[in-house]
Amino acid sequence: MNLATTLAAEPNEDLAHISNVLIYSAMAVYLLAFFAHMAEWLFGSRSKVARTAAALTPSKTAAVTPAVTVQAKGGTATLERPKVVTRSVTGARDVPDGPGAAAGDEKGDLYGRIAVSLTVLAFLLEFGGVLTRALSVQRAPWGNMYEFSITFSTVAVGVYLVLMALKKNIAWLGLPLVTTVLLDLGLAVTVLYTSSDQLVPALHSYWLWIHVSTAIFCGAVFYVGFVATMLYLFRDSYETKLQNGGQPGKFATSVMERLPAAASLDKFSYRLNAAIFPLWTFTIIAGAIWAGDAWGRYWGWDPKEVWSFITWVAYACYLHARATAGWKGRKAAYLALIAFGCWLFNYYGVNIFVTGKHSYAGV
């Protein structure tokens, strides 16, 4: 019987080893993708939007110099320098979206295609690592923080690739996403790594597949919304500076003018958060039902439960603020950042620093 048990365990150990190899391989390819994304930004040309804005925006030395002169009936009619229309109503600007990281440059586009191809390859390797991790223990691959982390980054990249396949203007997401994935995987393999093992009895439930999978997917979408919100704040500051006659530096101009307009980033972030919020609500409800099955109570003020609810309230406040006339733009964006901060603390802080019933999963 012992020999049979040992023989049965050997394939699992082999699969666990294969999983580790695939995860490390994915990290190596993500690193190459990171450099390719950097090259796309560095070698892409300055956007046509930037050149047009620079041509239309008056400089300090030529603020009163007429831009256009017209000969009419023997006389000279002087027209004032045209101004860039940056704001149509309060809280909105008539600014076109930038052309993306490559800015339409042939070399930049080439690096962009290489970056996306490498990201796809790394995603497949990481997905294989998650799958073999699951097969090594014959259960869902999110029984501890290490497994949750590698699955989370896999899903986040999957969301990005799906949006790319749908022809969405999200070339700007590649560099921050790959950078975050590298940090997440680095933390997972160095600090959070846990050997393949079976779960405690409380986790042996089909609710593990339902509750945790939806939590991971929600977190991945919240993260994409967070990146869009951060870039919105930077782009909004840039547009405001231009509108007020300021002269941003060359680096800021090169980066910001390739991004979508602040209004586009704001709308993209809002739609993502609004679309995923009902699923986050379901995640909390599913967790409560699972707690009722496992522990005999639906709500026990466990730290994980409390912070999940705090995160829900934070995103609910953000969505409510977006529907209120006085809380649009930057104010609402700050609420979105606070909400994602709550989710992030629920992900790392509660599991690592706070003791509760969810601590059985370990780190």
Side-chain angles (χ1 to χ4, degrees):
M1 181 178 179
N2 291 337
L3 178 60
T5 303
T6 302
L7 291 175
E10 285 179 357
N12 294 342
E13 293 176 358
D14 291 340
L15 287 173
H17 176 69
I18 293 173
S19 173
N20 294 339
V21 171
L22 288 172
I23 294 299
Y24 278 102
S25 300
M27 291 178 65
V29 180
Y30 276 129
L31 183 60
L32 295 176
F34 168 80
F35 288 122
H37 280 295
M38 284 289 293
E40 180 185 16
W41 282 94
L42 291 173
F43 295 105
S45 65
R46 191 181 179 197
S47 71
K48 293 180 180 179
V49 176
R51 291 194 296 269
T52 302
L56 294 177
T57 303
S59 64
K60 294 181 180 178
T61 59
V64 297
T65 303
V68 181
T69 58
V70 179
Q71 293 286 340
K73 297 182 179 179
T76 300
T78 301
L79 302 181
E80 294 183 357
R81 177 181 291 273
K83 297 180 180 179
V84 179
V85 179
T86 57
R87 189 182 295 271
S88 56
V89 295
T90 302
R93 291 186 179 92
D94 295 324
V95 178
D97 291 341
D105 180 77
E106 184 176 353
K107 182 184 291 186
D109 288 339
L110 174 62
Y111 284 119
R113 289 193 296 271
I114 293 174
V116 173
S117 300
L118 289 171
T119 304
V120 171
L121 176 58
F123 166 78
L124 294 175
L125 289 171
E126 189 180 10
F127 178 79
V130 173
L131 180 61
T132 50
R133 176 79 176 195
L135 294 175
S136 69
V137 285
Q138 296 296 310
R139 60 167 173 79
W142 41 74
N144 51 61
M145 281 287 289
Y146 168 73
E147 295 174 354
F148 193 97
S149 294
I150 62 175
T151 305
F152 167 76
S153 56
T154 303
V155 175
V157 176
V159 171
Y160 162 71
L161 294 177
V162 168
L163 291 174
M164 287 288 288
L166 294 175
K167 306 298 183 182
K168 301 297 182 181
N169 180 22
I170 59 164
W172 47 268
L173 180 59
L175 181 58
L177 174 66
V178 170
T179 303
T180 305
V181 168
L182 282 170
L183 293 173
D184 177 72
L185 292 179
L187 183 64
V189 300
T190 57
V191 178
L192 304 177
Y193 182 77
T194 304
S195 300
S196 298
D197 200 359
Q198 293 301 324
L199 303 175
V200 296
L203 287 178
H204 285 288
S205 170
Y206 60 88
W207 284 107
L208 174 66
W209 292 89
I210 299 173
H211 170 65
V212 183
S213 63
T214 54
I216 293 173
F217 182 71
C218 289
V221 177
F222 282 148
Y223 166 74
V224 175
F226 161 76
V227 175
T229 301
M230 287 292 295
L231 293 178
Y232 156 74
L233 292 173
F234 286 116
R235 173 79 191 205
D236 182 68
S237 296
Y238 174 79
E239 292 179 6
T240 301
K241 189 171 184 177
L242 280 180
Q243 179 186 336
N244 294 332
Q247 298 292 329
K250 292 183 178 181
F251 176 78
T253 300
S254 177
V255 174
M256 291 295 117
E257 288 293 348
R258 304 188 205 181
L259 293 175
S264 298
L265 290 168
D266 185 44
K267 185 184 298 183
F268 177 76
S269 174
Y270 170 67
R271 287 179 174 177
L272 282 180
N273 290 328
I276 207 63
F277 181 74
L279 187 60
W280 181 249
T281 304
F282 169 77
T283 300
I284 297 176
I285 295 173
I289 296 173
W290 186 14
D293 291 343
W295 301 319
R297 93 287 187 280
Y298 294 102
W299 188 266
W301 296 102
D302 181 76
K304 179 70 77 171
E305 298 169 351
V306 171
W307 276 96
S308 294
F309 179 68
I310 290 174
T311 303
W312 184 90
V313 171
Y315 274 106
C317 289
Y318 162 72
L319 295 175
H320 177 70
R322 286 298 304 255
T324 305
W327 281 83
K328 293 185 183 296
R330 298 183 71 88
K331 290 182 179 180
Y334 292 141
L335 279 180
L337 297 185
I338 293 173
F340 184 75
C342 293
W343 185 90
L344 202 61
F345 180 77
N346 190 34
Y347 175 26
Y348 282 112
V350 172
N351 282 47
I352 297 175
F353 303 111
V354 182
T355 300
K357 281 187 172 295
H358 287 78
S359 298
Y360 53 66
V363 297

